Amino acid sequence: MPEDPIAHSELAALTRRFEEVAEKHDREFGIIKSDLTAVRLQIGNLDQKVEALDKKIDRNQAQIIELLTQLVAQRPDAG
C-alpha cells in the first residue's frame, strides 16, 4: 500500500509544530527558572537584612533599658 503524501505532509507539519512549541516551552521554563532563582536570592538578602535589623533593635532596646535603669537609680525618691 503506497504512502499517502498528504498524510505524510500533515504528519511532518504537526511534528514541526510540536517541536516548535516544545522549544518555546523549554525557553519559557528556563526564563521562569532564572526568575525564581533571582527571587530566591532576593529573599535571602531580605532575610539577612531582617536579621540585622532584629539585632539592631535588640541592641537599642538593651540600651534603652540600661539608660532607664540608670535614670531610676539616680532619682532621689526612688526606692
Side-chain angles (χ1 to χ4, degrees):
M1 183 156 150
E3 289 189 23
D4 182 359
I6 295 173
H8 188 65
S9 173
E10 288 293 320
L11 182 59
L14 286 172
T15 301
R16 198 169 42 255
R17 276 190 253 151
F18 174 81
E19 289 171 350
E20 288 170 357
V21 168
E23 287 176 17
K24 181 180 177 187
H25 285 168
D26 288 346
R27 282 191 307 274
E28 289 174 352
F29 179 75
I31 291 168
I32 291 169
K33 188 176 176 182
S34 174
D35 288 348
L36 284 174
T37 300
V39 167
R40 285 185 186 131
L41 289 173
Q42 289 175 349
I43 288 172
N45 289 339
L46 286 174
D47 282 344
Q48 290 176 353
K49 288 179 181 180
V50 167
E51 286 177 26
L53 223 94
D54 282 344
K55 290 177 183 177
K56 187 173 182 178
I57 288 171
D58 289 343
R59 279 194 310 272
N60 288 343
Q61 285 177 338
Q63 287 177 335
I64 289 170
I65 290 170
E66 184 179 330
L67 291 171
L68 287 173
T69 303
Q70 290 173 7
L71 281 174
V72 168
Q74 289 177 1
R75 288 181 51 191
D77 60 342

